[in-house]
Amino acid sequence: MESSTSNPSYGATNKAEIKALFGLLFLAGLFRSGRKSLIDLWSNDGTGIEFKTIREEKSSVFGFQKDITIVSYIPKPRKCGHMMSSLHHDDEVDPESGDQRKPSIITFYNSTKSGVDVVDKLARTYDVTRNCKRWPLTVFFSMLNHAGINSFIVYMLNNSIERKKTNLRKNFIKQLGLSLLEDHIRKRKDNPHIPRNIRRRVHEMLHEEVPGPPPKQPRRSQRCSFCPRNKDRKTLNGCFKCNAAICKEHANLMCQNCTDLDNE
């Protein structure tokens, strides 16, 4: 296509003309496969592209290529549905549709399309996606949603669980998330720099016994290990780790929580 600047004999090409050209190319491929020509599409008055004859209600028109079949079905006046299939390769009409005379392509789609709607609904109910402009991360979030749905189906089949129970999928996703976090949580609970209340909560999540504070052993009066011998300073206090006798001058105070964390 040339614009008016390169060839003055032609007018400027607008977007509508480009779209019309692409539409003609698609229609040419469709009708060439059905051994029809574009003249069958052109209206008698030349005002636009339309079917030459008015199609009756509940009628179907098929187009065939090597591995693709396209059908155009009119369920009611002013309504036309188009569908493409790589599974069907004939113009069969489903006899069970009765007076509707629906093509087998459409009835097969209607019998299986609910699966896509159910998956979309389940994914939206417990959605892991976050607002992000990076498409690889968006694809990854979608994979996580579908992985959670598939794992739930496998879990139900392996355990013969009925779907009538409430909050079944919610509890499953909760346990799934905790099981994926378990290894990381076990490493965190051994970190002495984490507050004691958080570590206690981790033990409860792992169904482990919460360790209590170490028992205090009674001590007898001893000479401080750091004071000179001539001072002969006696004390009842001892180091928490090495149990060496220390006086208040050489001792560093710690609260009970920090002492318990350091001992775990």
Side-chain angles (χ1 to χ4, degrees):
M1 293 177 292
E2 299 183 5
S3 63
S4 57
T5 56
S6 59
N7 193 338
S9 61
Y10 293 95
T13 303
N14 54 31
K15 293 182 179 180
E17 293 175 348
I18 297 176
K19 292 170 63 178
L21 175 61
F22 290 159
L24 287 175
L25 293 176
F26 283 116
L27 291 174
L30 173 62
F31 277 82
R32 184 170 60 250
S33 64
R35 293 182 175 83
K36 295 183 179 181
S37 63
L38 285 177
I39 195 63
D40 295 330
L41 290 177
W42 200 263
S43 59
N44 295 330
D45 55 0
T47 57
I49 300 296
E50 61 181 18
F51 283 99
K52 190 174 182 179
T53 58
I54 299 177
R55 295 171 55 191
E56 63 178 1
E57 189 177 348
K58 307 296 187 299
S59 63
S60 303
V61 175
F62 292 85
F64 302 96
Q65 279 191 344
K66 182 179 179 181
D67 299 320
I68 300 294
T69 300
I70 299 178
V71 61
S72 174
Y73 174 69
I74 299 182
K76 56 185 178 180
R78 298 181 178 273
K79 188 73 174 179
C80 183
H82 302 84
M83 192 163 294
M84 181 175 62
S85 173
S86 59
L87 177 64
H88 304 80
H89 305 287
D90 52 23
D91 56 353
E92 180 184 0
V93 176
D94 190 1
E96 296 182 358
S97 61
D99 297 337
Q100 297 292 325
R101 293 181 293 173
K102 293 183 179 180
S104 298
I105 297 177
I106 294 180
T107 55
F108 177 79
Y109 171 76
N110 292 337
S111 64
T112 57
K113 69 176 182 179
S114 60
V116 178
D117 298 334
V118 171
V119 170
D120 292 340
K121 180 180 178 181
L122 293 176
R124 287 193 301 267
T125 303
Y126 301 105
D127 194 2
V128 302
T129 59
R130 297 295 181 268
N131 292 332
C132 181
K133 295 183 179 180
R134 298 174 57 193
W135 68 264
L137 192 58
T138 303
V139 173
F140 175 71
F141 285 145
S142 179
M143 293 173 61
L144 286 182
N145 283 332
H146 289 82
I149 296 173
N150 294 336
S151 59
F152 176 65
I153 295 174
V154 174
Y155 169 76
M156 292 182 59
L157 294 177
N158 290 341
N159 296 276
S160 302
I161 300 177
E162 298 181 358
R163 298 182 58 182
K164 297 181 180 179
K165 297 182 179 180
T166 58
N167 296 329
L168 182 61
R169 182 164 175 257
K170 177 181 178 181
N171 296 332
F172 171 79
I173 293 179
K174 180 179 179 180
Q175 294 299 325
L176 176 63
L178 292 177
S179 63
L180 294 175
L181 289 171
E182 183 175 354
D183 293 339
H184 179 68
I185 290 177
R186 290 187 181 277
K187 293 180 180 179
R188 295 280 292 173
K189 75 180 181 66
D190 297 329
N191 189 345
H193 302 290
I194 297 179
R196 187 168 183 266
N197 58 339
I198 297 180
R199 300 180 68 181
R200 183 186 295 110
R201 177 58 180 161
V202 170
H203 282 283
E204 294 176 356
M205 292 174 60
L206 297 176
H207 304 287
E208 296 180 356
E209 184 179 357
V210 180
K216 294 183 178 180
Q217 300 292 338
R219 298 180 58 89
R220 60 185 180 86
S221 179
Q222 292 180 335
R223 183 184 294 111
C224 178
S225 302
F226 297 92
C227 291
R229 189 174 183 84
N230 57 359
K231 286 188 176 182
D232 194 21
R233 184 178 293 172
K234 301 295 179 59
T235 180
L236 295 176
N237 300 322
C239 178
F240 184 77
K241 286 190 174 181
C242 65
N243 204 30
I246 51 176
C247 63
K248 292 183 179 180
E249 180 182 354
H250 299 99
N252 293 323
L253 298 179
M254 296 178 65
C255 68
Q256 184 66 41
N257 291 336
C258 295
T259 304
D260 296 340
L261 284 176
D262 192 62
N263 187 59
E264 292 180 8

